[in-house]
Amino acid sequence: MFERFTEGARRAVARARDEARSLRHGHIGTEHLLLGLLGDPGDGEDAASVLADAGVARAAVRGRIAVGEAAGDGGEPPFTERAKTVLELGLREAHRLGHASIGTGHLLLGLLREGGGRGAAVLADLDADPARLRAAVLDRLAAPAAEPFRPHPRPSTDRRLTAIEERLERIESLLAALADRRDRA
Protein backbone atom coordinates (compact mmCIF):
# COMPACT_ATOMS: atom_id res chain seq x y z
CA MET A 1 0.00 0.00 0.00
CA PHE A 2 2.71 2.48 0.96
CA GLU A 3 4.39 2.18 -2.40
CA ARG A 4 1.25 3.77 -3.89
CA PHE A 5 1.48 6.77 -1.55
CA THR A 6 2.69 10.02 -3.01
CA GLU A 7 5.83 11.49 -1.49
CA GLY A 8 3.63 13.98 0.38
CA ALA A 9 1.51 11.19 1.87
CA ARG A 10 4.64 9.33 2.94
CA ARG A 11 5.92 12.48 4.65
CA ALA A 12 2.54 12.93 6.36
CA VAL A 13 2.67 9.40 7.81
CA ALA A 14 6.27 9.94 8.93
CA ARG A 15 5.25 13.26 10.55
CA ALA A 16 2.36 11.46 12.29
CA ARG A 17 4.83 8.97 13.74
CA ASP A 18 7.13 11.79 14.85
CA GLU A 19 4.22 13.68 16.42
CA ALA A 20 3.14 10.58 18.37
CA ARG A 21 6.66 10.20 19.70
CA SER A 22 7.06 13.89 20.57
CA LEU A 23 3.74 13.80 22.42
CA ARG A 24 4.99 10.68 24.25
CA HIS A 25 2.17 8.50 22.98
CA GLY A 26 2.69 4.80 22.48
CA HIS A 27 0.47 4.69 19.39
CA ILE A 28 -0.29 6.55 16.17
CA GLY A 29 -3.92 7.67 16.25
CA THR A 30 -6.14 9.77 14.05
CA GLU A 31 -5.03 12.88 15.93
CA HIS A 32 -1.43 12.16 14.93
CA LEU A 33 -2.48 11.57 11.33
CA LEU A 34 -4.23 14.96 11.40
CA LEU A 35 -1.03 16.58 12.67
CA GLY A 36 0.91 14.75 9.96
CA LEU A 37 -1.45 16.10 7.30
CA LEU A 38 -0.78 19.64 8.51
CA GLY A 39 2.45 19.83 6.56
CA ASP A 40 3.57 22.92 4.74
CA PRO A 41 0.78 24.14 2.40
CA GLY A 42 3.54 25.62 0.24
CA ASP A 43 4.69 22.08 -0.56
CA GLY A 44 1.55 21.61 -2.63
CA GLU A 45 0.10 18.99 -0.30
CA ASP A 46 -3.66 18.96 -0.83
CA ALA A 47 -4.61 18.28 2.79
CA ALA A 48 -2.30 20.95 4.21
CA SER A 49 -3.66 23.55 1.80
CA VAL A 50 -7.29 22.68 2.49
CA LEU A 51 -6.76 22.67 6.25
CA ALA A 52 -4.87 25.98 6.14
CA ASP A 53 -7.64 27.55 4.02
CA ALA A 54 -10.16 26.36 6.64
CA GLY A 55 -8.14 28.03 9.40
CA VAL A 56 -6.91 24.79 10.96
CA ALA A 57 -3.44 25.47 12.36
CA ARG A 58 -0.88 23.01 13.69
CA ALA A 59 -0.55 24.86 17.00
CA ALA A 60 -4.32 24.80 17.56
CA VAL A 61 -4.51 21.07 16.82
CA ARG A 62 -1.47 20.26 18.94
CA GLY A 63 -2.91 22.33 21.81
CA ARG A 64 -5.95 20.03 21.91
CA ILE A 65 -3.93 16.84 22.25
CA ALA A 66 -2.70 15.92 25.71
CA VAL A 67 0.95 15.01 26.16
CA GLY A 68 1.41 11.43 27.32
CA GLU A 69 3.35 10.29 30.33
CA ALA A 70 5.34 7.45 28.82
CA ALA A 71 8.40 8.22 26.71
CA GLY A 72 8.06 4.92 24.85
CA ASP A 73 10.64 2.29 24.08
CA GLY A 74 11.96 3.96 20.93
CA GLY A 75 10.32 1.34 18.72
CA GLU A 76 7.76 2.02 16.05
CA PRO A 77 4.47 3.02 17.66
CA PRO A 78 1.57 0.93 16.31
CA PHE A 79 -1.40 2.42 14.49
CA THR A 80 -4.69 2.42 16.38
CA GLU A 81 -7.63 0.63 14.79
CA ARG A 82 -9.18 3.98 13.88
CA ALA A 83 -5.92 5.16 12.27
CA LYS A 84 -5.78 1.92 10.25
CA THR A 85 -9.37 2.59 9.20
CA VAL A 86 -8.39 6.10 8.05
CA LEU A 87 -5.60 4.64 5.91
CA GLU A 88 -7.98 2.05 4.45
CA LEU A 89 -10.61 4.70 3.75
CA GLY A 90 -7.97 6.89 2.11
CA LEU A 91 -7.12 3.97 -0.17
CA ARG A 92 -10.81 3.47 -0.95
CA GLU A 93 -11.25 7.18 -1.70
CA ALA A 94 -8.37 7.03 -4.17
CA HIS A 95 -9.92 3.96 -5.82
CA ARG A 96 -13.37 5.58 -5.90
CA LEU A 97 -11.93 8.65 -7.61
CA GLY A 98 -9.95 6.52 -10.08
CA HIS A 99 -6.58 7.74 -8.84
CA ALA A 100 -3.53 5.51 -9.12
CA SER A 101 -1.77 7.05 -6.13
CA ILE A 102 -2.82 7.89 -2.59
CA GLY A 103 -2.13 11.48 -1.60
CA THR A 104 -2.67 13.60 1.47
CA GLY A 105 -6.06 14.65 0.14
CA HIS A 106 -7.19 11.02 0.07
CA LEU A 107 -5.95 10.54 3.63
CA LEU A 108 -7.86 13.62 4.78
CA LEU A 109 -10.97 12.26 3.05
CA GLY A 110 -10.42 9.00 4.95
CA LEU A 111 -10.10 10.88 8.25
CA LEU A 112 -13.30 12.80 7.56
CA ARG A 113 -15.15 9.67 6.48
CA GLU A 114 -14.05 7.73 9.59
CA GLY A 115 -15.40 10.63 11.64
CA GLY A 116 -15.23 9.05 15.09
CA GLY A 117 -11.61 9.39 16.12
CA ARG A 118 -9.75 12.02 18.07
CA GLY A 119 -8.65 13.71 14.83
CA ALA A 120 -12.27 14.30 13.78
CA ALA A 121 -13.09 15.50 17.31
CA VAL A 122 -10.26 18.05 17.17
CA LEU A 123 -11.55 19.31 13.81
CA ALA A 124 -15.02 19.67 15.36
CA ASP A 125 -13.51 21.55 18.34
CA LEU A 126 -11.95 23.94 15.83
CA ASP A 127 -15.32 24.43 14.06
CA ALA A 128 -13.98 22.91 10.84
CA ASP A 129 -17.02 21.73 8.87
CA PRO A 130 -16.39 18.20 7.57
CA ALA A 131 -18.68 18.68 4.56
CA ARG A 132 -16.83 21.84 3.51
CA LEU A 133 -13.44 20.21 4.05
CA ARG A 134 -14.53 17.23 1.96
CA ALA A 135 -15.80 19.48 -0.84
CA ALA A 136 -12.57 21.50 -0.79
CA VAL A 137 -10.43 18.35 -0.98
CA LEU A 138 -12.49 16.97 -3.85
CA ASP A 139 -12.12 20.30 -5.69
CA ARG A 140 -8.33 20.20 -5.25
CA LEU A 141 -8.14 16.57 -6.34
CA ALA A 142 -10.20 17.34 -9.44
CA ALA A 143 -7.76 20.09 -10.50
CA PRO A 144 -5.25 18.91 -13.11
CA ALA A 145 -1.91 18.01 -11.59
CA ALA A 146 1.21 19.91 -12.67
CA GLU A 147 2.90 16.62 -13.53
CA PRO A 148 1.76 13.01 -13.52
CA PHE A 149 2.40 10.86 -10.50
CA ARG A 150 5.60 8.86 -10.63
CA PRO A 151 6.18 6.37 -7.83
CA HIS A 152 9.26 7.12 -5.81
CA PRO A 153 11.67 4.31 -5.08
CA ARG A 154 11.90 3.18 -1.50
CA PRO A 155 14.46 5.27 0.32
CA SER A 156 17.12 2.77 1.33
CA THR A 157 18.79 5.12 3.79
CA ASP A 158 15.78 5.70 6.03
CA ARG A 159 15.17 2.46 7.93
CA ARG A 160 12.30 3.97 9.89
CA LEU A 161 10.40 4.88 6.72
CA THR A 162 11.06 1.43 5.31
CA ALA A 163 9.68 -0.13 8.51
CA ILE A 164 6.54 2.00 8.21
CA GLU A 165 6.17 0.97 4.57
CA GLU A 166 6.39 -2.69 5.56
CA ARG A 167 3.82 -2.26 8.32
CA LEU A 168 1.42 -0.47 6.01
CA GLU A 169 1.80 -3.25 3.45
CA ARG A 170 0.88 -5.75 6.17
CA ILE A 171 -2.09 -3.57 7.14
CA GLU A 172 -3.25 -3.50 3.52
CA SER A 173 -3.04 -7.28 3.32
CA LEU A 174 -4.99 -7.68 6.56
CA LEU A 175 -7.60 -5.16 5.48
CA ALA A 176 -8.00 -6.88 2.12
CA ALA A 177 -8.48 -10.22 3.89
CA LEU A 178 -11.10 -8.66 6.17
CA ALA A 179 -12.89 -7.13 3.20
CA ASP A 180 -12.91 -10.54 1.48
CA ARG A 181 -14.38 -12.15 4.58
CA ARG A 182 -17.06 -9.46 4.81
CA ASP A 183 -17.92 -9.90 1.14
CA ARG A 184 -18.26 -13.65 1.58
CA ALA A 185 -20.44 -13.30 4.70
Side-chain angles (χ1 to χ4, degrees), residues 19 89 97 99-100 107 143 155 164 167:
E19 289 287 351
L89 292 172
L97 294 169
H99 296 161
L107 295 178
I164 289 173
R167 284 187 174 180

mmCIF file of all heavy atoms in Angstrom, residues 19 89 97 99-100 107 143 155 164 167:
data_model
loop_
_atom_site.group_PDB
_atom_site.id
_atom_site.type_symbol
_atom_site.label_atom_id
_atom_site.label_comp_id
_atom_site.label_asym_id
_atom_site.label_seq_id
_atom_site.Cartn_x
_atom_site.Cartn_y
_atom_site.Cartn_z
ATOM 1 N N GLU A 19 5.100 12.962 15.491
ATOM 2 C CA GLU A 19 4.217 13.678 16.420
ATOM 3 C C GLU A 19 3.828 12.772 17.589
ATOM 4 O O GLU A 19 3.801 13.209 18.741
ATOM 5 C CB GLU A 19 2.960 14.188 15.708
ATOM 6 C CG GLU A 19 3.214 15.336 14.763
ATOM 7 C CD GLU A 19 3.505 16.655 15.468
ATOM 8 O OE1 GLU A 19 3.365 16.758 16.698
ATOM 9 O OE2 GLU A 19 3.889 17.600 14.762
ATOM 10 N N LEU A 89 -9.640 3.825 4.401
ATOM 11 C CA LEU A 89 -10.614 4.699 3.749
ATOM 12 C C LEU A 89 -9.940 5.644 2.756
ATOM 13 O O LEU A 89 -10.522 5.973 1.719
ATOM 14 C CB LEU A 89 -11.418 5.479 4.788
ATOM 15 C CG LEU A 89 -12.367 4.625 5.649
ATOM 16 C CD1 LEU A 89 -12.960 5.457 6.774
ATOM 17 C CD2 LEU A 89 -13.453 3.987 4.798
ATOM 18 N N LEU A 97 -12.171 7.524 -6.719
ATOM 19 C CA LEU A 97 -11.927 8.655 -7.613
ATOM 20 C C LEU A 97 -11.132 8.262 -8.858
ATOM 21 O O LEU A 97 -10.881 9.091 -9.722
ATOM 22 C CB LEU A 97 -11.191 9.763 -6.849
ATOM 23 C CG LEU A 97 -12.000 10.416 -5.725
ATOM 24 C CD1 LEU A 97 -11.105 11.290 -4.855
ATOM 25 C CD2 LEU A 97 -13.159 11.219 -6.293
ATOM 26 N N HIS A 99 -7.953 7.263 -8.924
ATOM 27 C CA HIS A 99 -6.577 7.741 -8.845
ATOM 28 C C HIS A 99 -5.633 6.574 -8.584
ATOM 29 O O HIS A 99 -5.923 5.700 -7.770
ATOM 30 C CB HIS A 99 -6.435 8.779 -7.729
ATOM 31 C CG HIS A 99 -7.234 10.016 -7.991
ATOM 32 N ND1 HIS A 99 -7.566 10.897 -6.999
ATOM 33 C CD2 HIS A 99 -7.782 10.526 -9.131
ATOM 34 C CE1 HIS A 99 -8.267 11.891 -7.504
ATOM 35 N NE2 HIS A 99 -8.421 11.680 -8.801
ATOM 36 N N ALA A 100 -4.505 6.585 -9.252
ATOM 37 C CA ALA A 100 -3.526 5.510 -9.118
ATOM 38 C C ALA A 100 -2.692 5.641 -7.852
ATOM 39 O O ALA A 100 -2.138 4.663 -7.366
ATOM 40 C CB ALA A 100 -2.607 5.492 -10.331
ATOM 41 N N LEU A 107 -6.032 10.853 2.199
ATOM 42 C CA LEU A 107 -5.947 10.535 3.628
ATOM 43 C C LEU A 107 -6.866 11.436 4.442
ATOM 44 O O LEU A 107 -7.513 10.974 5.392
ATOM 45 C CB LEU A 107 -4.502 10.644 4.113
ATOM 46 C CG LEU A 107 -3.528 9.635 3.499
ATOM 47 C CD1 LEU A 107 -2.112 9.867 4.018
ATOM 48 C CD2 LEU A 107 -3.972 8.215 3.755
ATOM 49 N N ALA A 143 -8.600 19.168 -9.724
ATOM 50 C CA ALA A 143 -7.763 20.087 -10.503
ATOM 51 C C ALA A 143 -6.657 19.290 -11.183
ATOM 52 O O ALA A 143 -6.100 18.355 -10.598
ATOM 53 C CB ALA A 143 -7.166 21.156 -9.595
ATOM 54 N N PRO A 155 13.188 4.699 -0.144
ATOM 55 C CA PRO A 155 14.463 5.267 0.320
ATOM 56 C C PRO A 155 15.222 4.232 1.143
ATOM 57 O O PRO A 155 14.757 3.800 2.180
ATOM 58 C CB PRO A 155 14.042 6.463 1.170
ATOM 59 C CG PRO A 155 12.620 6.215 1.525
ATOM 60 C CD PRO A 155 12.041 5.302 0.487
ATOM 61 N N ILE A 164 7.933 1.541 8.323
ATOM 62 C CA ILE A 164 6.542 2.001 8.213
ATOM 63 C C ILE A 164 5.923 1.458 6.928
ATOM 64 O O ILE A 164 4.787 0.994 6.927
ATOM 65 C CB ILE A 164 6.467 3.539 8.261
ATOM 66 C CG1 ILE A 164 6.786 4.025 9.674
ATOM 67 C CG2 ILE A 164 5.093 4.029 7.841
ATOM 68 C CD1 ILE A 164 6.909 5.533 9.782
ATOM 69 N N ARG A 167 4.998 -2.123 7.467
ATOM 70 C CA ARG A 167 3.819 -2.258 8.317
ATOM 71 C C ARG A 167 2.551 -1.903 7.565
ATOM 72 O O ARG A 167 1.530 -2.559 7.706
ATOM 73 C CB ARG A 167 3.948 -1.392 9.561
ATOM 74 C CG ARG A 167 4.881 -1.988 10.562
ATOM 75 C CD ARG A 167 4.854 -1.214 11.829
ATOM 76 N NE ARG A 167 5.662 -1.937 12.796
ATOM 77 C CZ ARG A 167 5.862 -1.541 14.016
ATOM 78 N NH1 ARG A 167 5.315 -0.432 14.429
ATOM 79 N NH2 ARG A 167 6.597 -2.251 14.835
#
